[in-house]
Amino acid sequence: MVKLYTFHLSTNGRKVHMALEEAKAAYEITPVNLMKGEQKSPDYLKLNPNGKVPTIVEDGLVMWESVAILLYLAEKFPAANLLPSAAQDRARAFQWLVWQPTTFGAPASSLFRQLRFTPEGQRDQNAINQARAEVTKNCEILAGGLQGRDYLAGRFSVADMALLPYLHVLAELSIALPAAVDAYYKRLSTRPSWGKVLAYTG
Ligand SMILES: N[C@@H](CCC(=O)N[C@@H](CS)C(=O)NCC(=O)O)C(=O)O
């Protein structure tokens, strides 16, 4: 049994939640309410000293960092085929798995924070403009990666699960996506695993 500590609106938590669903893993969720600061409680910090979600606990293993968890789950549940087996397809998956947290995630989250959580009068217009420009550039890069393929690593994999929660954030902000990225987002959104993730409200 995998124990997932997450917050229902967490993009990083949603990646792992989706992977557990895709793997048909036995799991249970322990909610960590980020709005109440529960991620900084002494008990939670013993599991994850970063004071962030997600964390998984499984059979003595305590693990954080969502992308690392995705790779662990892909290995742990081979029948679910969460990573391609051909070396070049795996290489593509690894590339996007690193790109998502290092490049794609931050400007998308920054835009979300500014436009959703910051009262209009207190917004930082320079930060918004910069985040928008980065999001636009990144979406073009993503569209390039999707040229000739439906999924980033050829077939559906954990790389797509890393991107989907962030594309969802952009869609919630009504940010226009390049056609290939929009079609990709819609393709991923129809997966029952994602439906389960969105239905979880803590
Ligand atoms: N690199 C970490 C980032 C985790 C992260 O930033 N989680 C956010 C939610 S999406 C969080 O817990 N924020 C609460 C805080 O920083 O206090 C991962 O991928 O797991």
Side-chain angles (χ1 to χ4, degrees), residues 15 20 30 54 60 65 70 77 104 109:
K15 298 174 194 171
L20 287 165
T30 300
E65 280 304 331
L70 290 180
F77 297 99
F104 193 78
S109 298

Side-chain angles (χ1 to χ4, degrees), residues 10-12 34 39-40 51-54 65-66:
S10 158
T11 41
N12 290 300
L34 300 186
Q39 73 279 23
K40 310 292 182 203
K52 291 179 189 295
V53 295
E65 280 304 331
S66 56

Side-chain angles (χ1 to χ4, degrees), residues 40 47 92 107-108 117 136 150 172:
K40 310 292 182 203
L47 295 176
R92 287 191 188 97
F117 293 119
T136 301
D150 283 347
E172 279 190 321

